[in-house]
Amino acid sequence: MRVVYTIEKISRIVGGKLLQNGLAGEGHVIEHLLTDSRKLVHPASTLFFALPGPRRNGEAYVEELYERGVRYFVVPEPFEGRLSNAAFVLVKDPLAALQQLAAFHRQQFHLPVIAIAGSNGKTIVKEWLYQLLEKDYRIVRSPKSYNSQVGVPLSVWLMNDTHNLAIFEAGISRKDEMQNLQRIIRPTIGVFTHLGDAHGENFSTPAEKAAEKFKLFTGVDWVLANRDDTIVRDTLTKAALPAFCYGAAGDNAVRVLSVRKKADHTVVSLQCMDTTAPVTEEAFELALPFTDDASVENGITCACVLLRLGYAPPVLAERMEQLRPVSMRLEMKKGINNCTLINDSYVADPDSFRIALDFLQQVQQYQRRTVILSDMVQTGKDPDKLYAEIAGLLKQKGVQRIIGVGAQISRHRNLLERVCEEALFFTSTEALLQQFHQLRFQNELILIKGARAFAFERISTLLERKTHQTVLEINLSAIAHNIRQLQGLLRPGTKMMAMVKAFSYGGGSFEIANVLQYSKVDYLAVAYADEGVELRKGGIRLPIMVMNPEESGFATMTEHSLEPEVYSFNLLYRLRAFLQQEGLQHYPVHIKVDTGMHRLGFEPDEIADLAHLLSADNTFSVQSVFSHLAGSEDTGLDYFTQQQATAFVKACDVLQQHLAYPFLKHIANSAAIMRHPDLHYDMVRPGIAMYGLPDLNNLGLKEAATLKTTIAQIKKIPAGDSVGYNRRGQVQKESVIATIRIGYADGYRRAFGNGAGHVWIKGYTAPVVGNVAMDMAMVDITGIPDVKENDEVIVFGEDLSVAQLATWANTIPYEIMTGVSQRVQRVYYEE
């Protein structure tokens, strides 16, 4: 039976007070829950929960969503619902109401529910269990990594009467969170993946963290875990949970007899010793198509779940061999013929399709959008309703062309042809590949979304622009995370101007700006007008300040609504003359004050004259007044930072006395945001901190950029021979030397040569040998096991910080980042 929710019913479930403001809710079915205004798809049937945020609470988006067609809202009391023809449920805590509604929804279904907890591997195990079980069950599962206090209720809400198995993951970062998730999920089966160091900062000991995580499994029929971990074993004993465990010891339900790693797979020998699992006690082997330790452990976990569910070893062996890597990210990269490609070619289901379309919608640079989509198999949904839903999503996201692959999507072509300007259908991937060159991909954004069986990686290979194997990967999720962490330091109402000058510190232009716009940043700043023009052409709508305006670019700035920084009377006079000639009044400008940096800006003794001039006519509208700190990251210069702040406030006071309207004040750069909260004023200006550098007070910033290349050749060099130009690389003993595909033309500086720099290969650092050449560098990999030609090499990233490279080169991270050549392909991805 379908569970139907109206706003009146939901209000009763969450114990809220209903204000209907002229909207009759009975008969209006609510099907979708929304916590992020950017992800609205079905406004007429959506209920928005106004959750608290680090800077802005959800109430700030109510009017925007109302304008976009949403009529149902859960808001914190007190709240004055002034919008007509809208319904508001007033509650003390919207997050608690969301969780309470999801818990009620869960209670309407009686089916097996697998809940997964652990420090690492939750999403991988969830997706692999889905791959292993999808032939036999109609499964609902957490989208991507929806395992938080918000993500879990949104996942559980997806349950409906077509499902006969649920798989949800749950993650916590502090005490007393898991009980909420347990009440929502109410699992019947528990799976614990691995106890690691992640999210350990809020727990006194690993044992305390394990005990908190195991609270998820209260009331389960059985829980699976690795009892070789002593903390896990002790936690299981103390919790007195019914266990089905594996490990090397003989008293486990499943004994791991051996793990033998081969070149491209791992052979695991298991023996099931527990009579509750309906399999024989004879030992058997499984071939896992992975060799890294984490994947092997996750694979054994999944195998043991299936054993306990009654799968015979031959069936299990066949399915384990078919496991495929789980793509934990959506990649965006340059394609052929000026296209941009978003690759998500491993899984196709409605929930992940929505997530991919959200990512598609962030990219505003193309008028034409194409989706290549395979059949969505074994979703448990009626095909007519499923493809009607797909059609609605395509229409809502403005997709012009759909290319469908598979028998099922082809049978529903009439639904998709109605919503797209162009619709093409192929019965198989092979049929599409045969006609690939007739499809004419050019100047468009392309999303590739396919189930594993369709092998869409063959399509993505044809669509990718071929470049050399050195790439700069930009983690857009990490940038969004860093922005949120920085926003969390600000007072409510303090704005943020993100610095995207110099190609966003080497990371990209509109690709980065898209994320910032999506993350509700208030302003962008570029160095020159042409950078701002590129952002405007790319669909960026945020206000943009130009820090180095030139007279030749005045017309360009006004044409594209760019706001110049004004730092001298000479520039002010020339800009005023141009604006008056064009008949423009109240043009937005930003006033730069020199408080001690002595680079650009009005001197303090010029401020009074500047104030009189600005107030004398209506040519300008001062949007902000700002200055630049010379040493905000240096504790030894804190006295000077305070001197600058004092001079800045005095200048602002003088200007405000003469201007009849308020303006924004800002002086805090990345370091000052973290070290000088008293200098946040009305707005702050993060720059390289968006990339996770520097993390001055342990905010948990993530390094967002990874420069990687590959090995071109490996050679053994006898003792006494030399490597590279000018014979600078002398080897003292027989050495193994790898030539890697990066040089100073890519931005890998000559300063890294002759042992000064290192790269990261398979968990080891390898020193640079000899001089760095234009396109190549040589590194010593002697003693590093199992290195092969074409293996990946990390130049900088999470394992080898760009800050470390800056230290080796006696420079700063800014120079390393901005020095990465434009010939290096940028690959953008979202986790």
Side-chain angles (χ1 to χ4, degrees), residues 234-285:
D234 293 343
T235 304
L236 273 170
T237 302
K238 290 178 182 177
L241 292 169
F244 183 84
C245 296
Y246 70 88
D251 58 346
N252 285 302
V254 178
R255 185 187 301 176
V256 181
L257 301 178
S258 65
V259 176
R260 305 188 306 278
K261 292 188 178 181
K262 306 293 184 180
D264 58 355
H265 68 284
T266 302
V267 178
V268 178
S269 181
L270 303 177
Q271 185 176 15
C272 189
M273 310 297 293
D274 195 306
T275 57
T276 59
V279 298
T280 65
E281 293 186 8
E282 295 179 5
F284 60 94
E285 290 187 343

Side-chain angles (χ1 to χ4, degrees), residues 339-343 360 370 372 441 444-448 463:
C339 294
T340 291
L341 182 65
I342 298 175
N343 189 8
L360 182 86
T370 292
I372 305 176
F441 296 98
E444 58 192 299
L445 179 63
I446 306 166
L447 170 63
I448 301 177
L463 285 169

Side-chain angles (χ1 to χ4, degrees), residues 469 709-712 714 740-741 761-762 785-793:
Q469 296 181 43
T709 187
T710 57
I711 295 174
I714 297 174
I740 61 177
R741 295 179 171 98
I761 300 176
K762 292 202 166 183
D786 302 323
V787 182
K788 304 181 296 296
E789 292 179 358
N790 292 315
D791 275 353
E792 183 178 85
V793 178

Side-chain angles (χ1 to χ4, degrees), residues 152-166:
V152 166
L154 294 179
S155 299
V156 170
W157 181 257
L158 299 175
M159 297 176 73
N160 62 52
D161 56 357
T162 68
H163 300 124
N164 55 15
L165 177 66

